[in-house]
Amino acid sequence: MASKSFKASRSSISSDAGDSAHHRPPLPPTVTFGRRTSSGRYVSYSRDDLDSELGSGEFMNYTVHIPPTPDNQPMDGPMDPSISQKVEEQYVSNSLFTGGFNSVTRAHLMDKVIESEASHPQMAGAKGSSCAILGCDAKVMSDERGADILPCECDFKICRDCYLDAVKTGGGICPGCKEQYNALDLDEMAVENGRPLPLPPPAGLSKMERRLSLMKSTKSVLMRSQTGDFDHNRWLFETRGTYGYGNAIWPKDGGFGNGNGKDDEVSEPQELVSKPWRPLTRKLKIPAAVLSPYRLLIFIRMVALGLFLAWRVTNKNEDAIWLWGMSVVCEIWFAFSWLLDQLPKLCPVSRSTDLSVLKEKFETPSPSNPTGKSDLPGIDVFVSTADPEKEPPLVTANTILSILAADYPVEKLACYVSDDGGALLTFEAMAEAASFANIWVPFCRKHDIEPRNPESYFNLKRDPYKNKVKPDFVKDRRRVKREYDEFKVRTNGLPDSIRRRSDAYHAREEIKAMKLQRQNRDEEPVETVKVPKATWMADGTHWPGTWMTPGPEHSKGDHAGIIQVMLKPPSDEPLQGTTDDTRLIDLTDVDIRLPLLVYVSREKRPGYDHNKKAGAMNALVRASAIMSNGPFILNLDCDHYIYNSQAMREGMCFMMDRGGDRLCYVQFPQRFEGIDPSDRYANHNTVFFDVNMRALDGLQGPVYVGTGCLFRRIALYGFDPPRSKEHHSGCCSCCFTRRKGRVSVATTPEEHRALRMGDSDDEEMNLSLLPKRFGNSNFLIDSIPVAEFQGRPLADHPAVKNGRPPGALTIPRDLLDASTVAEAISVISCWYEDKTEWGNRVGWIYGSVTEDVVTGYRMHNRGWKSVYCVTKRDAFRGTAPINLTDRLHQVLRWATGSVEIFFSRNNALLASPRMKLLQRVAYLNVGIYPFTSIFLIVYCFLPALSLFSGQFIVQTLNVTFLTYLLIITVTLCMLAVLEIKWSGIELEEWWRNEQFWLIGGTSAHLAAVLQGLLKVVAGIEISFTLTSKSGGDDVDDEFADLYIVKWTSLMIPPITIMMTNLIGIAVGFSRTIYSALPQWSRLLGGVFFSFWVLAHLYPFAKGLMGRRGRTPTIVFVWSGLIAITISLLWVAINPPSGSTEIGGSFQFP
């Protein structure tokens, strides 16, 4: 197979004087290509080629027609990228990139991604004109609207590769008219609308510095306030007397220098100082009328518990010293556990955002942003999935559609889907979602649809036409609903479609192999040919990921890395729909662009620890840094979709506000759908999300809970927060710190000042150490200071520290090229993390089932803060298991992770001084709470033991004991009422949480402690398997899963507790009735505590009974008879004192 090779530079149109003289057209950036085969087209890379390319000094070449000067610089909009770059980006989006360890990185050109036609021009495999060259059926180059790009005036249709052939080997002759291509035609296309290409940056700068200089460029306040003319002096000072890019620096006192050579004493321009400054967020304190009594009650209950425990220790029950001892130990632990849970709740807060101020600051025309283009930073959204059988692709597709339709600048949004199973089913479902987004996203923008998950929207119980005023809404909704129904049918039919397609191709391959065998063996007997049963893609090629019938290098733990740009990056300017578009609905004046959508499946090989979800998330962090490098990352589970389309804007209010550069993440509460109305198993978890998390927000911030979290990228990279030395310096080192800071400002590059890790005392970050931490990707390392700069708040007020100039993020992004995606393939390979700090200090932390809590803990431990963002309309919604067994296993996983945290170096007892005391107490409670199950189970058996033995935990129910018990109970109830008051939850939700605390504590938490101890001491891991005993056969019942009973060993302790207490109550009554001297006080004490246990276990008992009405009455009759029989048997075996016969002195009348 013939191949051609030439170097690619990440460049715009490249042409010099010699080229222009000979009218040679520019060459698009390329890499080593292979010619077309019957199964597609491949592009090969090697690590040497990549390293030499990335290490070269040639980064960008420019064609400058008229040197732009300050007063002759058309600023109608940003410059258009060159046609060659657009074509390269289109080629990248139509190629499936694969590669990995010790393998060649290949780009397989996809003629089609799915069986149906792709109509949106951004989508991979989008339909278009075919190349007119004989024997070539590739697609013609196209622009953002899908219109053909024809490089010759004769309008001869030619694809990208044939165009390169004509330029390289054909002397630049057009195959159609036989005339030479005119380079000026393409140059004019590159600068259409009067937008010239920028001046080159100063020579000698590194690639990182050039990218930073591009971002820092801003059109500042350069007009004289009186005349409106251009102020040359101010412009020259801003750029320090050079043409190009620079930073807006203003001298103090309005002077331009004092002759002492110090140019670091700067201040803000007067226009910014005098402008009214409005905050993006507000802290809403809890009313003192609620908070003061709440804190007072906590103090009163602490004192009461202390006095009660002191009384209990000093007043022993000599009749049952064993019962007294167990109860006292349990009560001391319960008091300690309550203290750990209650102390972090002393300072609850609520917060609110102002989206109008965000729009005014970042998306409103201003002197620094004349066009009003969005100055918001980019966000990369991560969606993780692993198994399409357990996580239905339709659910994941709906989540992705809600992301693509979110109300955030399209060019600043990118969505990455991590398929850790490497399944073709997920791949094609994502492609179908990208195709349906062509109509769904513009429909949402046109009619302000909420929520923007089509499944949830079309299943809304409320009136869908409320507040809709556009006359074509009903027609549009009907058509989109029909399209969505067809999309669902196609997605649900994908497994059968892939299976039939693979069987057909497999049969064809077997026939070919048999024919070839017959040709090679003339008359010899033909043996059965065994051809590996592959999984085939829609374009008739092998799927490089996991096959339905696993084979070598094609199984879940052994497949190549895959990256497919499903939707290529959108154009920088809005692309309005037109009336003549062949679309189902009228999209006139509606932006039809779609955000970047990328499918990623990291490489997996035997012998490597892939670290489950945490490893997949870290692979996405690296790949996204190479491809889009959004300074903020939003991670969502595949079943958690965006319910509030402005949720990302709400989170950005906190990140972009004053002091926002010290926030590592913004955590949103988890809200769930499909929960039974009574919330039997506390699935909504409102006490945690609305009480505990709000309380932590008043300290150092809420814990990270695994989904619905907006991260600052550099915080994930393991860097310390800005000004960490200022916040933790001693009182005697103020002068030294100030002097050191002054020197560092003059000597340290601005982009490095905020990049410092805790193990380095120097203000300057040593970039030479970064490869040891982050790996050997130069692209990745260069992206770090860029992400840090872009994530800074707006420097629109002197009080904003570590800010960026307004308008710095309005420049166009870099276009994707093949070398960029090839580098992304290399960073998701299985070997990339070897000998780096990924998973140890950088990214999601490895080594725990609950990697989310550990990751958040590490950030807080470095001094970062987090914020809890509760929006009026729920930000995200997801699903939760309503089945009892599934719920118990979910709690088991969380508790197991907590036990692992307690026995690791992430224990809060080992936290750094940068973590606040009460925050440390909260994290300590996270690691300790499962151990409460040991004492809880013992305490739940104490009432039954008391009833069996006829004794109680105290000698007698005297006034002192009852008074203490009353005070402790009343204060607990009053605290619950006040928590309900300031958090907004309901009393029933609080009670459900208390019930499931006991259910989980006597089942899953105990199993987690045993599992954790066995793992730490003996290295043995235990897995609890499920055995389904019955199933819900009512398909029409939305909550049918609630009544399914699946047996699990986790149910044994609660069942034992219930049966023991029921029998104990029966035995206690029998003993008291038959006794010559009935001890009613002891009976009442035991029965009261038994009922307390049984009341908490009531939801568990309902779960065991299945659907209401399906439990036969005879079951209850048998249960009563068994309890009575056992109680009578106990009385017979151990008769009451003073009686020598069964029944004692009791006689029937």
Side-chain angles (χ1 to χ4, degrees):
M1 179 175 68
S3 64
K4 51 184 180 179
S5 167
F6 47 90
K7 289 294 177 184
S9 64
R10 298 167 55 82
S11 63
S12 305
I13 291 182
S14 175
S15 62
D16 52 26
D19 292 337
S20 300
H22 293 86
H23 300 289
R24 290 181 182 174
L27 300 179
T30 54
V31 285
T32 305
F33 291 95
R35 291 301 298 163
R36 172 187 298 274
T37 64
S38 59
S39 61
R41 189 179 296 118
Y42 290 86
V43 186
S44 300
Y45 302 85
S46 68
R47 289 295 306 175
D48 294 336
D49 290 340
L50 282 173
D51 291 340
S52 61
E53 179 186 342
L54 300 180
S56 64
E58 298 178 0
F59 292 91
M60 286 195 176
N61 300 318
Y62 296 89
T63 302
V64 181
H65 296 276
I66 301 175
T69 57
D71 48 353
N72 183 22
Q73 192 171 30
M75 293 299 292
D76 296 333
M79 60 106 179
D80 270 2
S82 66
I83 301 303
S84 58
Q85 280 185 310
K86 291 184 179 179
V87 172
E88 174 71 7
E89 189 171 60
Q90 181 187 359
Y91 174 81
V92 168
S93 66
N94 284 331
S95 299
L96 179 75
F97 285 78
T98 61
F101 182 56
N102 283 339
S103 61
V104 176
T105 300
R106 291 178 171 173
H108 167 58
L109 189 62
M110 304 280 287
D111 293 330
K112 62 177 181 177
V113 180
I114 50 178
E115 299 289 350
S116 55
E117 278 194 341
S119 56
H120 198 280
Q122 283 180 242
M123 185 178 172
K127 63 181 181 180
S129 304
S130 298
C131 179
I133 299 293
L134 293 177
C136 179
D137 56 352
K139 298 292 187 296
V140 174
M141 304 177 287
S142 60
D143 60 11
E144 290 88 350
R145 291 186 178 275
D148 296 341
I149 296 177
L150 306 175
C152 185
E153 294 180 353
C154 69
D155 293 341
F156 182 79
K157 295 183 177 180
I158 189 169
C159 69
R160 172 186 180 277
D161 280 1
C162 293
Y163 170 66
L164 292 178
D165 286 339
V167 172
K168 286 289 290 182
T169 61
I173 303 297
C174 172
C177 62
K178 308 303 180 184
E179 297 290 336
Q180 194 167 28
Y181 284 122
N182 189 356
L184 295 178
D185 292 341
L186 288 180
D187 290 341
E188 290 169 3
M189 294 175 74
V191 293
E192 61 182 339
N193 300 327
R195 299 170 187 168
L197 296 173
L199 286 167
L205 294 179
S206 67
K207 175 186 174 184
M208 178 186 66
E209 291 169 334
R210 294 185 183 190
R211 294 175 71 180
L212 282 169
S213 68
L214 282 172
M215 287 180 303
K216 293 174 186 175
S217 64
T218 174
K219 189 176 182 182
S220 302
V221 189
L222 298 178
M223 297 297 184
R224 289 194 179 96
S225 57
Q226 292 84 3
T227 63
D229 298 331
F230 189 87
D231 193 336
H232 281 268
N233 291 331
R234 288 180 66 180
W235 181 83
L236 287 173
F237 179 79
E238 178 183 355
T239 58
R240 298 194 177 184
T242 60
Y243 283 84
Y245 297 98
N247 296 323
I249 299 178
W250 305 92
K252 287 185 178 179
D253 302 326
F256 280 82
N258 51 13
N260 57 5
K262 295 183 179 179
D263 55 356
D264 60 318
E265 296 183 356
V266 297
S267 66
E268 298 293 328
Q270 190 63 30
E271 288 86 346
L272 294 182
V273 177
S274 60
K275 182 179 179 180
W277 186 83
R278 298 169 62 191
L280 292 167
T281 63
R282 288 185 302 156
K283 182 185 292 186
L284 307 176
K285 294 186 178 180
I286 307 298
V290 176
L291 192 57
S292 296
Y294 181 73
R295 291 171 175 170
L296 180 62
L297 280 172
I298 292 176
F299 177 74
I300 292 174
R301 194 166 196 266
M302 287 172 59
V303 173
L305 281 173
L307 295 174
F308 171 71
L309 292 175
W311 181 86
R312 289 278 285 122
V313 170
T314 55
N315 292 268
K316 300 179 182 179
N317 183 0
E318 301 294 346
D319 296 338
I321 196 73
W322 57 274
L323 198 61
W324 168 85
M326 287 192 298
S327 63
V328 168
V329 171
C330 293
E331 287 163 2
I332 292 175
W333 180 267
F334 292 152
F336 172 68
S337 177
W338 175 83
L339 206 60
L340 291 181
D341 181 66
Q342 199 66 47
L343 284 178
K345 297 179 182 178
L346 288 172
C347 307
V349 297
S350 296
R351 302 180 188 270
S352 66
T353 60
D354 195 335
L355 295 180
S356 62
V357 178
L358 185 77
K359 186 174 183 62
E360 176 187 332
K361 287 189 176 185
F362 292 90
E363 296 179 323
T364 303
S366 64
S368 58
N369 184 13
T371 61
K373 186 180 176 184
S374 177
D375 197 24
L376 288 170
I379 297 180
D380 293 338
V381 186
F382 295 171
V383 179
S384 57
T385 181
D387 190 346
E389 294 180 1
K390 297 179 181 178
E391 299 164 334
L394 185 62
V395 174
T396 308
N398 273 278
T399 299
I400 291 170
L401 287 168
S402 71
I403 295 170
L404 298 179
D407 184 8
Y408 201 77
V410 184
E411 67 276 9
K412 303 294 182 70
L413 190 60
C415 179
Y416 293 83
V417 182
S418 170
D419 178 18
D420 222 27
L424 180 60
L425 174 58
T426 305
F427 177 85
E428 294 200 0
M430 298 309 98
E432 289 285 359
S435 178
F436 177 67
N438 183 31
I439 182 174
W440 172 251
V441 174
F443 169 70
C444 292
R445 291 173 183 160
K446 179 180 179 181
H447 297 290
D448 294 326
I449 299 300
E450 293 286 354
R452 300 191 174 182
N453 174 327
E455 183 69 22
S456 299
Y457 172 71
F458 290 121
N459 288 331
L460 285 177
K461 300 290 190 288
R462 57 180 173 81
D463 182 12
Y465 308 109
K466 186 178 180 180
N467 299 328
K468 302 301 179 186
V469 295
K470 293 187 178 181
D472 56 350
F473 172 71
V474 176
K475 178 185 64 176
D476 290 351
R477 185 180 186 275
R478 188 183 303 117
R479 291 179 175 178
V480 173
K481 177 66 168 64
R482 185 182 67 246
E483 287 294 316
Y484 177 65
D485 290 340
E486 293 178 359
F487 160 73
K488 285 175 65 176
V489 171
R490 290 196 305 269
T491 304
N492 292 331
L494 281 177
D496 291 336
S497 174
I498 294 173
R499 189 177 297 107
R500 288 195 304 269
R501 179 203 310 152
S502 298
D503 291 342
Y505 278 115
H506 179 67
R508 187 193 67 177
E509 292 296 311
E510 283 186 334
I511 293 172
K512 284 184 178 180
M514 291 182 64
K515 287 183 178 179
L516 183 62
Q517 189 180 43
R518 286 171 182 164
Q519 292 176 1
N520 295 336
R521 301 181 180 182
D522 296 333
E523 297 181 356
E524 296 181 13
V526 179
E527 298 178 357
T528 304
V529 181
K530 292 185 178 180
V531 179
K533 194 169 184 180
T535 300
W536 294 75
M537 293 187 289
D539 68 338
T541 57
H542 284 181
W543 168 242
T546 302
W547 289 351
M548 291 184 295
T549 304
E553 298 188 354
H554 292 285
S555 60
K556 283 189 176 181
D558 183 14
H559 62 79
I562 307 170
I563 291 181
Q564 169 71 62
V565 180
M566 291 287 186
L567 291 171
K568 70 178 182 180
S571 58
D572 198 52
E573 290 296 319
L575 194 63
Q576 307 294 343
T578 57
T579 54
D580 56 348
D581 281 347
T582 57
R583 295 178 179 270
L584 289 175
I585 59 178
D586 183 13
L587 298 178
T588 306
D589 298 329
V590 178
D591 191 358
I592 62 173
R593 294 176 301 164
L594 300 176
L596 171 67
L597 175 61
V598 183
Y599 170 91
V600 179
S601 181
R602 59 179 172 143
E603 182 191 20
K604 286 189 173 182
R605 298 299 180 195
Y608 286 87
D609 187 0
H610 300 109
N611 297 295
K612 301 178 181 178
K613 180 182 176 181
M617 299 304 291
N618 284 339
L620 284 187
V621 171
R622 296 191 295 272
S624 63
I626 301 296
M627 300 181 69
S628 56
N629 197 30
F632 297 99
I633 294 172
L634 173 65
N635 89 288
L636 296 173
D637 288 344
C638 64
D639 60 342
H640 271 72
Y641 68 91
I642 297 180
Y643 188 74
N644 181 355
S645 62
Q646 294 190 322
M648 285 183 273
R649 290 180 177 270
E650 301 243 17
M652 202 53 64
C653 285
F654 292 102
M655 292 294 191
M656 293 291 103
D657 206 6
R658 183 171 59 183
D661 59 330
R662 292 182 54 80
L663 295 181
C664 55
Y665 60 81
V666 176
Q667 178 66 61
F668 295 85
Q670 292 186 23
R671 307 300 186 200
F672 302 101
E673 294 178 333
I675 307 298
D676 55 298
S678 64
D679 193 13
R680 180 186 295 177
Y681 306 124
N683 287 99
H684 284 299
N685 217 355
T686 50
V687 173
F688 174 75
F689 286 114
D690 291 324
V691 178
N692 296 67
M693 296 286 271
R694 284 180 191 263
L696 288 176
D697 198 14
L699 304 176
Q700 202 169 338
V703 297
Y704 167 44
V705 294
T707 183
C709 190
L710 181 67
F711 282 99
R712 183 178 300 275
R713 185 181 284 270
I714 63 163
L716 274 175
Y717 285 160
F719 291 103
D720 291 343
R723 306 182 301 282
S724 56
K725 288 295 184 72
E726 299 176 19
H727 285 256
H728 300 279
S729 58
C731 58
C732 60
S733 59
C734 298
C735 299
F736 175 77
T737 304
R738 189 180 295 114
R739 179 168 51 84
K740 184 176 181 180
R742 184 174 299 175
V743 173
S744 66
V745 168
T747 59
T748 307
E750 181 187 355
E751 61 270 14
H752 295 171
R753 286 182 214 146
L755 296 177
R756 196 181 65 81
M757 290 192 172
D759 51 3
S760 173
D761 292 331
D762 299 329
E763 288 294 330
E764 182 175 359
M765 183 65 200
N766 188 356
L767 294 181
S768 63
L769 298 177
L770 293 184
K772 296 180 181 179
R773 301 182 187 272
F774 298 96
N776 60 356
S777 172
N778 294 330
F779 277 43
L780 178 61
I781 293 172
D782 285 352
S783 72
I784 293 173
V786 176
E788 188 278 326
F789 178 84
Q790 290 184 338
R792 295 181 185 179
L794 210 60
D796 57 349
H797 192 272
V800 177
K801 298 180 180 179
N802 193 42
R804 59 174 174 84
L809 301 186
T810 58
I811 62 168
R813 56 162 187 82
D814 290 338
L815 296 183
L816 277 181
D817 58 14
S819 61
T820 300
V821 185
E823 183 70 11
I825 283 287
S826 71
V827 300
I828 64 170
S829 61
C830 58
W831 55 266
Y832 185 82
E833 295 183 355
D834 290 350
K835 299 180 181 179
T836 67
E837 295 193 4
W838 283 99
N840 182 28
R841 181 192 178 95
V842 180
W844 269 258
I845 306 302
Y846 300 154
S848 174
V849 178
T850 52
E851 73 287 333
D852 44 6
V853 177
V854 178
T855 302
Y857 166 80
R858 291 287 187 90
M859 295 181 186
H860 286 139
N861 203 31
R862 288 193 291 270
W864 288 95
K865 295 181 180 180
S866 59
V867 161
Y868 197 52
C869 180
V870 182
T871 56
K872 291 182 179 179
R873 177 184 176 86
D874 294 345
F876 309 100
R877 283 194 177 179
T879 57
I882 62 174
N883 179 264
L884 174 60
T885 307
D886 295 339
R887 176 75 165 127
L888 289 178
H889 277 262
Q890 182 187 54
V891 174
L892 171 64
R893 185 174 63 85
W894 294 343
T896 303
S898 294
V899 175
E900 291 175 348
I901 291 172
F902 182 79
F903 288 112
S904 70
R905 62 191 182 98
N906 297 311
N907 191 317
L909 294 173
L910 307 176
S912 73
R914 294 183 177 182
M915 183 177 290
K916 293 183 178 180
L917 177 61
L918 291 182
Q919 188 79 16
R920 189 179 305 194
V921 171
Y923 273 113
L924 183 62
N925 187 41
V926 169
I928 280 183
Y929 82 87
F931 294 93
T932 304
S933 61
I934 300 173
F935 305 92
L936 187 60
I937 283 188
V938 173
Y939 210 73
C940 287
F941 278 112
L942 287 182
L945 295 176
S946 174
L947 292 168
F948 282 134
S949 63
Q951 302 295 331
F952 194 51
I953 59 176
V954 292
Q955 190 81 27
T956 58
L957 293 176
N958 55 21
V959 176
T960 307
F961 175 77
L962 293 176
T963 302
Y964 278 129
L965 190 64
L966 181 65
I967 293 174
I968 292 172
T969 305
V970 169
T971 52
L972 178 65
C973 294
M974 294 177 68
L975 282 173
V977 170
L978 290 176
E979 280 185 3
I980 290 169
K981 188 73 174 176
W982 63 254
S983 66
I985 65 174
E986 297 179 0
L987 180 61
E988 184 182 5
E989 294 173 331
W990 180 88
W991 172 237
R992 286 281 183 251
N993 181 78
E994 291 294 308
Q995 288 180 311
F996 198 78
W997 169 76
L998 192 140
I999 294 171
T1002 55
S1003 57
H1005 294 176
L1006 178 65
V1009 172
L1010 296 176
Q1011 189 172 349
L1013 289 175
L1014 285 175
K1015 184 177 180 180
V1016 171
V1017 176
I1020 302 174
E1021 294 198 18
I1022 301 175
S1023 60
F1024 296 87
T1025 57
L1026 302 180
T1027 304
S1028 181
K1029 295 299 182 183
S1030 64
D1033 53 4
D1034 191 352
V1035 180
D1036 297 329
D1037 191 349
E1038 182 182 358
F1039 308 113
D1041 199 40
L1042 181 68
Y1043 310 110
I1044 298 176
V1045 181
K1046 305 175 187 175
W1047 173 253
T1048 173
S1049 55
L1050 296 178
M1051 294 179 177
I1052 295 176
I1055 292 176
T1056 307
I1057 290 172
M1058 283 194 303
M1059 293 181 63
T1060 306
N1061 278 276
L1062 286 172
I1063 295 172
I1065 292 173
V1067 168
F1069 270 108
S1070 301
R1071 175 183 294 278
T1072 304
I1073 292 173
Y1074 295 152
S1075 177
L1077 299 173
Q1079 298 288 333
W1080 290 104
S1081 63
R1082 294 180 179 178
L1083 173 67
L1084 290 176
V1087 170
F1088 173 79
F1089 282 106
S1090 288
F1091 272 117
W1092 176 85
V1093 173
L1094 294 174
H1096 281 76
L1097 289 174
Y1098 176 68
F1100 179 83
K1102 287 187 68 176
L1104 290 181
M1105 290 188 293
R1107 187 180 298 275
R1108 186 177 302 172
R1110 291 191 177 185
T1111 305
T1113 308
I1114 192 64
V1115 173
F1116 300 102
V1117 175
W1118 285 348
S1119 300
L1121 289 174
I1122 291 173
I1124 293 172
T1125 304
I1126 293 176
S1127 63
L1128 292 175
L1129 182 63
W1130 179 269
V1131 174
I1133 295 172
N1134 186 17
S1137 59
S1139 176
T1140 58
E1141 57 185 22
I1142 297 177
S1145 60
F1146 177 81
Q1147 295 180 354
F1148 286 100

